[in-house]
Every structure is written in C-alpha cells, then in structure tokens.
Amino acid sequence: MTPHGPTGAPDDGHSGAPGEEVDAMARHSGAPDDGIDAIAWETLRHAYGPATDVPGQLRALYRPEDSLTAADRLLMNIHHQGGTVVSSAVAALPFVVRAAADPEVAARADLLELIACLAHEGNRAGERWIAPGWAEAWDLAVPALLPVLHDPSPRVRAAVVEALSEAWERADEMLAALWTRWSRESDPEVRLRIVEAAGELAGHAGRERAWTVRRLWELTEPESSAAVRLRAVEALRTADPDDDDPRYARVVTEVLDGGDLGGRPLTRTIGLLGEDRAARVALTGRLLGNADASVRREALEAAAEELGRWRSAVPALLPAVAAHLDDPEPDNRLFAVRVLGMCGAAARPWADRLAGMVDDEGEPYPPAQDHALWALTRIGDARCVAPLARRLTGERPGFSYFGSHSPSWWTHDLGLRETLAPLAAHAGVLLPPLRARLAASRSADETRALCQVLTDWGPAAAPALPELCALLKTAGAVWAADALVAIGPEAAAVVDRARLRALIDTPPEGQEAFAPRSLALAYGRLTGDREPALALFLPHMDTLLGRDSAVTVLGELGAASTPYTAWMREQLHRYPTGWLPLRAGEALWRITGRADEVVPALVGAIEPFTRGGAHPSVTETVRLLAGIGPAAHPAVPVLRAFLDADERPVEHGSWRSVPDDDALCDAARAALLAIGADPTPPS
C-alpha cells in the first residue's frame, strides 16, 4: 500500500539515487531552466498528486509578474500543511535555493520562508514521512544560503536566518556565521531573528555552544533593548529547556515592569518565567493595573492563561480581572466578562454586576452584554433566563450556532448551545420562544443548534415533541432524532417509527455519509429494534472507524451480544486510552455485569491524565465509574488525584479549560459518592 503522510498526500519516495541526483543538480549553473527537465517529475509526488506542475512553477519564479504566485503555489504543493517532506520537495530544493539567492527574483523572501518550512519538517517529522535524499539535499543547500545573510534587503536577511536556524548538522558553522552577521547588522528585526536562531542552534552545537550561551546571557542585560533581552531569555530556554535559571525571572520582571512588552505576546513573555507560578501571578496582577489599555488587554489574556491552568490562581487573580468590568475600553470589559464566565461558580461574588450588564442601560457594548448572559449561566444565576427568552424572540439572539474549540483566547461569539445547555431547569420559560424559533427556522445551522439544546435538556424538552417530530420530514431529521432519544419514553410513545426507519435507508440529501449511522442508533434507542444498526455496524466492526459504533450498539443490545464478548474484551485493551476502552468497558459491564474485568482497564485509561491533557472521553469514563458504583473502588486514588491537583488536568490554552475541569471534577465527586468514598479533600 502507498504510504500517506499527515496531509493525506501519497508519497512514493524518490526513485533512483536521490543523493547523486541532487549533487548533479547542484553543479548546474546559468539559466533558470538548467537541469529542470532532467528530473522525472511525473514520478514524484506533492500534496495534490504527481509533481508535473512543479517545473512550470520553478520557471515562473523568474518572471516578475508571476514570481509571488509561483512561490505561493510551491508552498501549497511541496509543503502544504507540513508534517512530511515529499519527494518533489527534495528534487525542487536546489532550484528553489538558486532562485532565493538570485537578486532578480521577486519572491526571494517567500522562497526562503518555504525553505525554512521544509527544513523544519525535515528536522522534526518521523523518518517514514521524509522522502529519501532530503538530508543530502539540505546539506548541499546550506552553503548556497550563507551568502544571502549579507543581502541588502532586511526581509531577505531575516528569512534566511530562519532557514539557517534549521541547519542543525552544521550548528557550529551557522553560529559562527550568524554572530559575524550580528556585528554588522543594524535592522532590529533581523537581530531578533539571529538571537532566536542562536538559541535553536546552540542545543545542537559543539565548540560554539559555550560562547553562544555566554553571548546570550550578555544580551539579557539592561544595555540591550527590551525586545532583545526577552528574546535572549527565550533563546537560552530553547538551548537548554531543562534549565530554570532564576535569572530568567529577574530579566522578564525588569523588562515588563519597565512598561515595554518587547513586541511579543504577553502570555508568551510571562511563560518565560517557567514554573515560578508566584512570579507569574504577581507580574500579571501588576500589569492588569497598567495605564495603557492595550497592555491591560494583554494582561487579561495572561490572567486567563493562568486561571485556565492553575486552580490556585483563582483567588489571586480573579478579583483583579473583575475590576475590569468597569474598564473604559469596551473590549477589555468584554474580556473581563469572558474570564469571569469561564471561571463559573468562582465568579459568583460579581453576579450582581454581571446581571446589571445584560442590557443597554448597564452595558452599552452589545458583545459584552452577550457574554454577561453566558457568564450568569455559568454561575447558575437565574437572572439570565428572562433576557435569554427575549433574545430567542428577536432577530439577534447574540450567539453563534456553532461552538468554537480553537486553542486561543479569541473573543469569538459564544455558542447558543453552550449558553442554553445548563438551563434545563428553566425550560418552562425558555421553551415557548425556542419552539417558535425552531418551527420558523430556515437555516440548517440554526435547526441543528436548537435541537442540540433540546438534546441537552433531555426530558425537560418534552413539550417540544411536535416540532421535533415535524423535523423528521426535513433535513433536520438527524438532530431531531437525537433530541427525541434524549427526551426518552415520552418521545418513544409518539415518534413516527416508520418514518424514522425509512430515513436510515434514504437519509436527507447531502447527509448520506453520516446520517444512516446516527439515525440507526436513534431508531434502536427509541424502538428497541437494533437490527438496522447491527446491519450497518457489524460488517465494519474490525475497521478503525467502525469499532466504536459496533461496540456501542452491542452494549445496548444487552445479553443478546454475549457471543461478541471475546471481541469486546479485545477492544477493551486494544488502545490504552480514549473512547474505545470506554465504549468497550461500558458494553461489557452492561452485558456481563462483571466490574472486575472492566474497572482495571477503565482506571488504566484515565490514570495517565491525572498528569494533564484530559479530554471528554476521560470525563465520560469517570461518569461510567459512577454508574458502576461500589465495585469501582479501585478508581478512588485516581479520582482523588483529579480533585487534589492544582494544575487543571485538562487541556490548557482556551476558554474551555475551566468548564472542562469543572465537568471532570463534578464527575469525580459524583463517582466517589457512588463508590462510597468521601469526595471532600483531606484537611
């Protein structure tokens, strides 16, 4: 089978002797076409298939009107999304280097950035994703790039420094050349790139390492600019990632207390303090009071980073964040509200202030009003309910029909589902406008979002059965079916079974790829007839994407699935973590009732995440342990570890960190209670 890299593009390698071919190409000189036609491009691959278009792109680099476009196409073709070095990149590299070194080529800086991207992947991708001949091609390319360090263009010099920082096998030679350039360099951005490159190369250097480290320490002193000082600390950390020298904190604190952020994101700069949590929190707190609104904005992001990672940061930083509910800058108020909402119940002391921000009288900035409503739902304050009901009747609900999972602190619109999901207890107020909106919906995105809210509300959504049943005749049938399942027996009693069964065979147009599986599961759960699901899933039970669904439906089938228990035991241990052990463990427990064979595997699946990185399957596994009850007692130490941690054992770096941590902790406490253990931490 042809291997595939992370981009999904097949890579058949480079036929023949790549090293010899690259060497032969490197000896060519003269016209840009020289040597291009000697390559059998049709035998090479890029992200979109055979590399037959690469020769034309290489030639186009020399036409001023086409140069930039050609460089961009080369980037998309031979680098694409990274993760691999394809065979066409090996063959193209000498020609790209030649063009990048030619002062007449308009796209020189872009080509150098492409070279840096390829070299980056060549240093970090797994060996199986790197086409033969890359190391030889890169080694031949480096000497041709060194003269470009002295190009008249600062942008070109900066780009070639970044490329040369990847020449790890020649680290000593590169460091000597870069420091020589440093003594002549006047452009501030190029100087910063040289400092960065020195840190990258020092970790691979021999004779130049000690001198480079001393030089970087010299650059951390006050005689250097703030930007250089911070970049030097970052370079030192890169050169020796295990070192946590206390001088790092001194330099970073001096620079930031001086009011200069050094041109870097504040979260990244504060990250240079390493594991010195006290210093990070103290510095962030001081910067929250800065007179510059843009500095306060970055300090709010740094505070969100700390709060999303450390539980102990909440009492230290949340009051300082809450003070920005009255910030004169609207976007800073918005960010402060977002952080308070992220922190949920911990923001309860400011609930009155948030409740006063949900309309124009209390907050003139509409996005901040939207976020205040969401924050109240996170706190559990009922004062959000009436305003949300009014929003559902208006043209501008103020919330997106999509939820975002981006790893960032971007203040995008909040999702309608995540805002309304916690409010099932208030369905009596919210259902009438929600049902009217669902009945009038002309957007698939809106229909999906409203059905997802009803799914989250479960039995409380039963008054919406007429609207949901009507949706079974529309493209919204898949999402309506999920909501009907969540409502339970009341929905099962009224659902049009024949219609639901027919949808499995004739799903809505455009949904053929996913709808039958989802509808088959819903049909089985509502009617008890799981034959359609078995017919869909069992033929694929040994495929990577089919195991989860097959295990799920077999578990729901109960004792009738006994013949498959050996296969399910195999799935329980096939992968150590993730959704598969959860699904297989739940199925086996339902079928056999034997917690003794299931619990150890489930505990093993979640224990690694006591050290961080827990994702939703971990929380769901903890909920399953609660369902198992006292027989899950071996899980107690792991459950306590989740609760006792200061560093939140979930993925960090986004608004979901605290809600995900809250969900995991709630599940762990419920599991401990169900097991019969005390969920309160020891005093």
Side-chain angles (χ1 to χ4, degrees):
M1 181 178 292
T2 302
H4 285 67
T7 62
D11 183 5
D12 59 359
H14 192 306
S15 59
E20 294 174 7
E21 187 173 83
V22 168
D23 185 47
M25 288 188 294
R27 290 196 295 270
H28 283 285
S29 60
D33 282 359
D34 211 8
I36 291 179
D37 290 334
I39 309 291
W41 296 100
E42 69 278 3
T43 69
L44 308 179
R45 308 288 295 186
H46 59 45
Y48 299 99
T52 51
D53 53 350
V54 170
Q57 291 157 6
L58 293 172
R59 293 186 176 103
L61 294 172
Y62 291 85
R63 297 194 295 268
E65 69 277 13
D66 298 326
S67 188
L68 292 171
T69 299
D72 185 60
R73 287 177 178 167
L74 281 168
L75 175 69
M76 290 302 298
N77 284 347
I78 68 175
H79 176 257
H80 198 54
Q81 297 176 355
T84 183
V85 178
V86 295
S87 53
S88 58
V90 177
L93 182 66
F95 302 103
V96 174
V97 169
R98 183 193 302 171
D102 189 331
E104 299 301 317
V105 173
R108 300 177 69 210
D110 301 70
L111 293 174
L112 289 164
E113 290 166 7
L114 167 59
I115 293 166
C117 288
L118 293 172
H120 181 277
E121 302 305 331
N123 282 334
R124 294 166 181 82
E127 184 177 355
R128 66 188 291 241
W129 303 120
I130 301 176
W134 170 256
E136 297 88 346
W138 176 231
D139 189 58
L140 286 167
V142 171
L145 294 173
L146 279 170
V148 186
L149 278 173
H150 309 292
D151 192 87
S153 165
R155 185 186 171 202
V156 168
R157 295 198 303 275
V160 79
V161 168
E162 184 174 357
L164 293 173
S165 72
E166 299 293 340
W168 292 356
E169 297 300 320
R170 294 171 173 255
D172 289 311
E173 181 185 353
M174 295 305 101
L175 285 168
L178 290 173
W179 288 123
T180 298
R181 180 65 224 172
W182 173 272
S183 64
R184 307 177 190 176
E185 187 57 62
S186 58
D187 184 83
E189 182 58 34
V190 180
R191 292 197 126 208
L192 293 176
R193 294 286 186 94
I194 290 173
V195 174
E196 284 181 349
E200 185 66 56
L201 291 162
H204 306 277
R207 68 176 186 274
E208 296 290 335
R209 176 181 170 81
W211 193 92
T212 292
V213 169
R214 287 198 301 273
R215 187 73 183 97
L216 289 172
W217 274 116
E218 290 171 5
L219 294 176
T220 67
E221 295 303 319
E223 292 76 19
S224 298
S225 69
V228 168
R229 295 181 74 189
L230 293 175
R231 209 68 62 97
V233 171
E234 193 165 12
L236 287 162
R237 281 199 171 277
T238 301
D240 190 355
D242 296 326
D243 185 28
D244 203 17
D245 195 298
R247 290 177 290 178
Y248 297 153
R250 172 184 62 79
V251 175
V252 172
T253 302
E254 284 179 4
V255 170
L256 296 184
D257 279 345
D260 192 336
L261 302 187
R264 303 289 268 181
L266 186 57
T267 53
R268 184 168 177 175
T269 301
I270 289 178
L272 295 175
L273 296 172
E275 297 306 308
D276 190 345
R277 278 180 275 160
R280 287 205 310 271
V281 168
L283 185 55
T284 301
R286 291 200 297 275
L287 291 168
L288 283 168
N290 196 282
D292 187 326
S294 64
V295 174
R296 295 196 304 274
R297 168 60 178 78
E298 291 210 50
L300 283 165
E301 185 168 322
E305 188 84 36
E306 295 298 309
L307 290 162
R309 184 176 179 188
W310 304 101
R311 294 170 183 166
S312 61
V314 172
L317 285 176
L318 202 56
V321 169
H324 290 276
L325 295 175
D326 297 309
D327 195 297
E329 174 59 42
D331 280 326
N332 286 353
R333 296 197 301 274
L334 166 62
F335 207 104
V337 173
R338 185 69 170 256
V339 175
L340 288 167
M342 176 184 80
C343 290
R348 192 164 286 123
W350 299 279
D352 288 347
R353 178 70 183 92
L354 290 166
M357 297 177 71
V358 300
D359 55 31
D360 292 344
E361 287 187 17
E363 171 53 61
Y365 189 40
Q369 297 175 23
D370 303 340
H371 280 69
L373 283 171
W374 169 74
L376 290 171
T377 71
R378 284 277 297 141
I379 292 169
D381 191 300
R383 285 175 285 184
C384 65
V385 176
L388 283 169
R390 290 194 294 273
R391 292 292 191 92
L392 287 170
T393 63
E395 291 187 9
R396 179 190 172 273
F399 301 97
S400 168
Y401 296 135
F402 296 92
S404 174
H405 293 265
S406 59
S408 72
W409 302 109
W410 173 43
T411 51
H412 49 74
D413 286 346
L414 294 157
L416 183 69
R417 180 181 188 179
E418 62 190 301
T419 303
L420 295 179
L423 301 176
H426 302 282
V429 176
L430 294 169
L431 267 174
L434 191 151
R435 291 174 63 189
R437 196 171 192 99
L438 184 61
S441 175
R442 296 294 180 268
S443 157
D445 294 335
E446 182 179 21
T447 299
R448 180 183 59 248
L450 293 170
C451 286
Q452 287 171 337
V453 171
L454 296 174
T455 301
D456 292 333
W457 286 357
L465 282 172
E467 289 77 20
L468 292 170
C469 288
L471 283 174
L472 294 180
K473 299 178 181 179
T474 73
V478 175
W479 308 302
D482 288 341
L484 291 167
V485 170
I487 290 170
E490 198 170 343
V494 299
V495 69
D496 184 341
R497 297 187 175 201
R499 174 63 185 167
L500 191 56
R501 177 63 185 86
L503 281 169
I504 301 172
D505 298 323
T506 55
E509 185 178 353
Q511 299 179 14
E512 293 86 357
F514 72 92
R517 292 172 177 265
S518 180
L519 290 165
L521 284 173
Y523 177 79
R525 290 163 180 169
L526 285 165
T527 68
D529 177 7
R530 290 183 167 81
E531 288 304 317
L534 290 169
L536 275 176
F537 300 144
L538 291 189
H540 306 286
M541 62 192 294
D542 285 317
T543 65
L544 182 62
L545 298 179
R547 293 181 190 122
D548 275 10
S549 297
V551 168
T552 297
V553 73
L554 287 170
E556 293 179 2
L557 194 58
S561 296
T562 300
Y564 294 94
T565 53
W567 178 81
M568 282 186 274
R569 289 188 182 98
E570 180 186 343
Q571 306 315 306
L572 182 63
H573 302 287
R574 181 181 286 268
Y575 296 105
T577 62
W579 290 104
L580 191 56
L582 165 63
R583 303 293 187 224
E586 183 174 12
L588 281 169
W589 180 61
R590 285 186 179 190
I591 294 165
T592 69
R594 287 188 53 191
D596 60 311
E597 68 173 348
V598 168
V599 169
L602 297 177
V603 173
I606 63 174
E607 191 279 332
F609 298 99
T610 59
R611 296 177 288 280
H615 40 75
S617 70
V618 176
T619 302
E620 290 303 313
T621 302
V622 171
R623 290 179 178 138
L624 174 58
L625 291 166
I628 293 173
H633 194 272
V636 167
V638 173
L639 298 173
R640 290 200 190 282
F642 285 136
L643 294 175
D644 294 343
D646 183 20
E647 184 173 10
R648 301 183 192 275
V650 295
E651 295 180 349
H652 305 138
S654 80
W655 303 108
R656 297 188 181 276
S657 299
V658 181
D660 287 350
D661 185 44
D662 288 347
L664 178 57
C665 288
D666 289 345
R669 291 188 193 96
L672 287 168
L673 282 171
I675 290 167
D678 186 355
T680 58
S683 56

